[in-house]
Amino acid sequence: MTSLDTLISMLAKLPGVGPKSAQRIAYHLIGQKSDQAFNKMLGESIATIKEKVFPCPVCGQFTETSPCEICSDPTRDQSQLCIVEQPQDVTTILNSGAGYRGLFFVLGGAISPLDGIGPEDLHFGKLMKRIAEGHIKEVILATNPTDEGETTALYIGRLLKDHPEITVTRLARGLPYGGDIEYVDRNTLARSLERRIKL
């Protein structure tokens, strides 16, 4: 196997990168005329990322400081805790423009019996410890709108039954803004009808 073949096969192992995309990226990296500095920086960034970035010991999102900037920010609303599945979900919510100013907690995945992921494989113990120690008044369940995400949200709801002082909310789901009903998938449309609101 040539060096080029090895690079393409390694790139193809990245999530969302298929064989054709991997080949395109590899040829782009080779074909850059004078930008060897870019290739060197890219290689160094990949080689050292695990040494510099780690999960925050408080919330679980990726950070270079302990605790992360969000957990150590005293201006954030300490009474709100948004629970997400993966670290990248924190960034997605922060970049959404919704203006959420509360705290976060990363579960590390979702309950998925078919994939062999049960509650013991996620950070539920750490979550309950954080809730017991903090001044949380609202838990926002921001798990993905999938069967696994729904199962996980229901499980968290059951865990918090013994905490009547905490309001548990779930992200709203429904039709995308600016979309046409004819292009919406059946499940999304069905959920939108079930959870319609009064005007």
Side-chain angles (χ1 to χ4, degrees):
M1 184 181 266
T2 67
S3 297
L4 179 57
D5 292 334
T6 302
L7 177 59
I8 291 169
S9 68
M10 295 302 288
L11 289 170
K13 292 181 180 179
L14 295 171
V17 180
K20 286 187 178 180
S21 295
Q23 186 177 38
R24 205 171 314 128
I25 293 167
Y27 278 99
H28 173 76
L29 292 172
I30 294 168
Q32 289 183 335
K33 294 197 172 151
S34 60
D35 204 353
Q36 291 300 319
F38 172 81
N39 289 352
K40 186 176 181 187
M41 283 179 59
L42 177 63
E44 287 175 2
S45 295
I46 292 170
T48 62
I49 191 73
K50 287 227 169 199
E51 298 167 13
K52 295 180 179 177
V53 179
F54 52 89
C56 172
V58 178
C59 72
Q61 78 149 329
F62 291 138
T63 182
E64 291 186 36
T65 61
S66 181
C68 70
E69 291 179 3
I70 293 173
C71 291
S72 59
D73 183 351
T75 66
R76 296 194 76 86
D77 186 347
Q78 306 292 307
S79 70
Q80 284 186 319
L81 186 66
C82 182
I83 300 175
V84 297
E85 292 180 20
Q86 300 294 347
Q88 58 266 34
D89 299 333
V90 173
T91 305
T92 301
I93 290 172
L94 290 175
N95 293 339
S96 70
Y100 175 70
R101 294 289 305 155
L103 302 174
F104 288 93
F105 187 85
V106 179
L107 288 172
I111 297 171
S112 178
L114 292 176
D115 296 319
I117 301 171
E120 65 283 355
D121 299 307
L122 304 174
H123 303 299
F124 290 114
K126 195 172 175 183
L127 170 64
M128 296 311 292
K129 183 179 176 191
R130 183 163 184 199
I131 286 172
E133 292 173 351
H135 301 90
I136 307 297
K137 292 182 182 168
E138 180 186 10
V139 167
I140 302 165
L141 302 177
T143 54
N144 290 323
T146 61
D147 289 341
E148 295 81 9
E150 290 295 320
T151 301
T152 305
L154 289 170
Y155 184 81
I156 295 169
R158 282 200 303 269
L159 287 177
L160 296 176
K161 286 268 191 231
D162 296 334
H163 295 273
E165 73 283 4
I166 297 176
T167 302
V168 181
T169 59
R170 181 90 168 99
L171 291 186
R173 291 175 300 278
L175 300 176
Y177 183 77
D180 292 321
I181 289 179
E182 66 179 302
Y183 299 117
V184 174
D185 67 271
R186 282 187 340 190
N187 291 333
T188 300
L189 187 55
R191 294 232 179 218
S192 298
L193 283 168
E194 289 167 12
R195 296 173 186 203
R196 62 192 182 275
I197 57 171
K198 187 175 180 180
L199 295 177

